[in-house]
Amino acid sequence: MAQHRVVIVGGGFAGLQLARDLKCPGTSITIIDRRNHHLFQPLLYQVATTVLATSEIAWPIRTLFRERKDISTLLGEVVGVDVAQRSVSLKGGHTVPYDTLVLATGARHAYFGRDEWEPFAPGLKALEDATTIRRRLLLAFEKAELEADPERRKALLTFSIIGAGPTGVEMAGIIAQLAHRILVEEFRSIDTSSSRILLIEAGPRVLPVFPPALSDYATKSLTKMGVEVCTGRPVTACSEDGVSIGDEFIPSRTVIWAAGVQASKAAEWVGAERDRAGRALVEPDLTVAGHPEVFIVGDTASVRTEDGNQVPGIAPAAKQQGKYVASVIKARRLQKPAPAPFRYRHLGNLATIGPSSAVIDFGKLRLKGSLAWWIWGLAHIYFLIGTRSRMAVALSWLWVFTTGHHSARLITQKETLKDEV
Amino acid sequence: MAQHRVVIVGGGFAGLQLARDLKCPGTSITIIDRRNHHLFQPLLYQVATTVLATSEIAWPIRTLFRERKDISTLLGEVVGVDVAQRSVSLKGGHTVPYDTLVLATGARHAYFGRDEWEPFAPGLKALEDATTIRRRLLLAFEKAELEADPERRKALLTFSIIGAGPTGVEMAGIIAQLAHRILVEEFRSIDTSSSRILLIEAGPRVLPVFPPALSDYATKSLTKMGVEVCTGRPVTACSEDGVSIGDEFIPSRTVIWAAGVQASKAAEWVGAERDRAGRALVEPDLTVAGHPEVFIVGDTASVRTEDGNQVPGIAPAAKQQGKYVASVIKARRLQKPAPAPFRYRHLGNLATIGPSSAVIDFGKLRLKGSLAWWIWGLAHIYFLIGTRSRMAVALSWLWVFTTGHHSARLITQKETLKDEV
């Protein structure tokens, strides 16, 4: 019997979980990703804010599967899928044939049709995004130290974070720490504690997926840390010089985008119907209509919960879908009955705000404050891959906890914005 | 009495040592560097070869001096010095006045007048150089995995390191480990153990600063690890496709430059005489002729040992010069007699070759093998700055030592060479 070839595009949470669970005689797996590493996105904002090193939250995909001889890994960028011929095309001309295809290509941050904002308000999805934000953040203080003009200095020391979901809240909290505490004693001309950190949210409250009481707690906690929380007003413009909130222009040389996301092009590749965010509408078993051999999972699929809401774009949801697809493929291979349609099980939401401050909503169990913070930290260390990263992240956090200093405050890469020194 | 303003350009080993030692009433210090971090260059090759993370060997300069209120740090690129007006010009238009100026701007790798080789044979001086080499190295294996043509695959799996000083030897050793051991079980189409690692040296032997017996040991050790040592033949051409050694062209898609260095433009800025490598010829007290208020130290100065040789471009030499200049400035400030001319004290040479293999030459004490390797490792951990980095590097090394796996195998940054996927 010929090998059944499963091709997984995307080594994120969904793709990885699928590859792990799908171990089946006569089945070979190829994972294609345009990066060589799986990234633990929930902690990416900590790379952007100088707490963690890049290699602490990213692992070569092929290393993770080195013992699985049934799995090959290819570094390549998928540019299209030929569903008739059953093959995937890579940039550079390679094609990879499949019997079963799983597209798990995730999402990028999106600007609600205002793509021209991107150069001024970088978002956070890949490692390079994080080092870009880290560079801009640290350069702002460096430039302010050299700046004689008080207005320009003020604009350099104003940091705007757009979007108050978990990522926005977490970044605002750490940037406030950095500006108001950590950097204070290191500069001679500027007072970094005079920095303004704005958290801008179009909706009525921060952390909208949490119950209002926890949003209130988060707002109070952020305010105490020196973050100005601006809710209920959308951003109407972004430029090199700052942001406009409604009619008000705020000079701000560092703007970070933590708002919308846009799905990858997976739906387009296979001609699937898609929703407004570009996510593929999939069948109850996560396949594409008319193509039972093609699955779409994770942030690039539009999947509904039992009460009709969109399944959230978080790691547990992606993993559950990966696990589910593995069970479907396995059942087919072993000629067993197909599993029941995919059903998302929401485990809860957690978000950290600052030192000893976090919120947890496990439905019946709602927590805030330092206990929530410890649970948040331990949960994230637990979900990292491998002892090495757990030790490294634990060491980094322990260091911040005991000394208050961040250990990855590097400005790297070249600057591209024209006016940068 | 007005403050005496000392400006130090360059936060390398010389500049840092000087700032540390120069604590003198009525004296303020400004350190200018075009990067925000001091880099522990002796271990940079380990970032390039996936062993260490970038943040483990680099620290923000202003963090190192946060408690020294007499020291300011500026991130800026010096473009010239006005010795008449006594001021330093930064890119972007800022000028920084000085009473005493110390130029400690180091060196870059150089191509003996063949600058057109640089895109094909990157050298190793800054953090970005290391991540560039790391990316090329790892991409070569990834591309080979996708390559069907045996000749092109072979070229992708041929790694050429030009220059067999300590950096070249150390890189060749680790790349051999990576190719012949670590990566073997992770690829499915290629056999990484078939990779060729060439160490090319124009001179007659590797590690020329060591005694011939230790060079012999290094050659044997490298050969045992699978490195092909080619001595006595210079590289005559470098291109995207490979290197020519004498008349022989070797297809090799990854070429790393570990040969010559070229001093910074410091000598030009102040109109000092310079040697062929661009190093400033300095007075016995490390000042510029006719300008007792301008010192040039470290890799950008041409300083001679007592027996007339060039002081080597190593960290201890730079530190000794920084220390010396601090004593000269202090003596002047306190109106004490000037210290005797600078005298370089050579402590010895160490180089590591591979696991449990290193060479040490402390003059009377010469060591090779695993004891030398442990001394090398402990010495480098000792010379790192701060407990945090010592713990992180010790953890990284311990991990390699016990599991054999490298923990910073990330491909980051965008590729610029035109044909890259």
Side-chain angles (χ1 to χ4, degrees), chain A residues 298-312:
Chain A
D299 288 358
T300 204
S302 172
V303 183
R304 296 276 151 186
T305 61
E306 283 180 314
D307 44 10
N309 293 317
Q310 176 70 36
V311 167

Side-chain angles (χ1 to χ4, degrees), chain B residues 26-105:
Chain B
T27 307
S28 68
I29 300 173
T30 301
I31 303 174
I32 305 173
D33 199 295
R34 57 182 171 171
R35 306 195 179 263
N36 83 323
H37 49 266
H38 168 71
L39 178 65
F40 192 77
Q41 277 193 5
L43 290 179
L44 188 57
Y45 79 98
Q46 295 213 351
V47 173
T49 50
T50 76
V51 176
L52 295 178
T54 48
S55 54
E56 290 174 3
I57 59 160
W59 312 267
I61 296 166
R62 59 172 74 258
T63 305
L64 300 176
F65 294 111
R66 63 175 175 268
E67 276 151 29
R68 285 280 300 273
K69 299 301 174 197
D70 57 325
I71 299 182
S72 321
T73 308
L74 295 180
L75 178 73
E77 190 172 338
V78 171
V79 290
V81 173
D82 186 333
V83 285
Q85 294 291 322
R86 298 196 178 175
S87 74
V88 168
S89 321
L90 304 187
K91 200 171 165 178
H94 292 275
T95 57
V96 183
Y98 65 80
D99 298 306
T100 296
L101 175 65
V102 185
L103 299 173
T105 37

Side-chain angles (χ1 to χ4, degrees), chain A residues 35-37 51-56 58-60 62-77 90-92 94 96 127-128 134 138-139 141-143 145-148 182-189 386-388 391-392 395-397 399 405 407-414 420-421, chain B residues 35-37 51-56 58-60 62-77 90-92 94 96 127-128 134 138-139 141-143 145-148 182-189 386-388 391-392 395-397 399 405 407-414 420-421:
Chain A
R35 304 193 180 267
N36 83 323
H37 49 267
V51 175
L52 296 178
T54 48
S55 54
E56 289 174 4
W59 312 269
R62 60 172 74 258
T63 305
L64 300 175
F65 293 110
R66 63 174 176 268
E67 275 150 29
R68 286 278 301 274
K69 300 301 174 197
D70 57 325
I71 299 182
S72 320
T73 308
L74 293 181
L75 178 74
E77 191 172 339
L90 304 188
K91 200 171 165 180
H94 292 275
V96 183
L127 270 187
E128 288 86 351
R134 182 174 77 183
L138 294 173
L139 270 180
F141 294 104
E142 296 292 342
K143 287 177 188 168
E145 179 83 348
L146 270 168
E147 182 60 64
I182 298 171
L183 296 181
V184 172
E185 53 176 344
E186 297 192 13
F187 287 81
R188 302 292 177 255
S189 307
T387 313
R388 175 72 182 88
M391 284 163 78
L395 177 62
S396 293
W397 286 352
W399 194 255
H405 289 292
S407 41
R409 267 179 47 204
L410 300 181
I411 299 177
T412 52
Q413 303 166 297
K414 297 247 166 66
E420 314 282 356
V421 215
Chain B
R35 306 195 179 263
N36 83 323
H37 49 266
V51 176
L52 295 178
T54 48
S55 54
E56 290 174 3
W59 312 267
R62 59 172 74 258
T63 305
L64 300 176
F65 294 111
R66 63 175 175 268
E67 276 151 29
R68 285 280 300 273
K69 299 301 174 197
D70 57 325
I71 299 182
S72 321
T73 308
L74 295 180
L75 178 73
E77 190 172 338
L90 304 187
K91 200 171 165 178
H94 292 275
V96 183
L127 270 187
E128 288 87 352
R134 183 174 76 183
L138 294 173
L139 270 180
F141 294 104
E142 296 292 342
K143 287 178 191 169
E145 180 82 347
L146 271 167
E147 181 60 64
I182 299 172
L183 296 181
V184 172
E185 52 177 346
E186 298 194 12
F187 288 81
R188 302 291 176 256
S189 306
T387 313
R388 176 72 182 86
M391 284 163 77
L395 176 62
S396 293
W397 286 352
W399 194 257
H405 290 293
S407 40
R409 268 180 45 204
L410 301 180
I411 298 177
T412 52
Q413 305 167 297
K414 298 244 168 67
E420 313 282 355
V421 214

Side-chain angles (χ1 to χ4, degrees), chain A residues 120 151-152 154-161 196 198 200 239-243 249-256:
Chain A
F120 316 116
E151 285 307 309
R152 277 190 279 182
K154 209 175 146 193
L156 282 164
L157 292 179
T158 302
F159 301 87
S160 306
I161 298 106
R196 287 182 74 190
L198 301 167
I200 305 163
S239 72
E240 208 177 310
D241 300 315
V243 285
F249 174 73
I250 297 172
S252 167
R253 293 290 301 276
T254 309
V255 182
I256 300 170

Side-chain angles (χ1 to χ4, degrees), chain A residues 109-129:
Chain A
H109 44 273
Y111 295 83
F112 309 123
R114 304 299 296 265
D115 288 350
E116 69 274 20
W117 293 355
E118 182 158 25
F120 316 116
L124 190 64
K125 270 287 169 187
L127 270 187
E128 288 86 351
D129 298 332

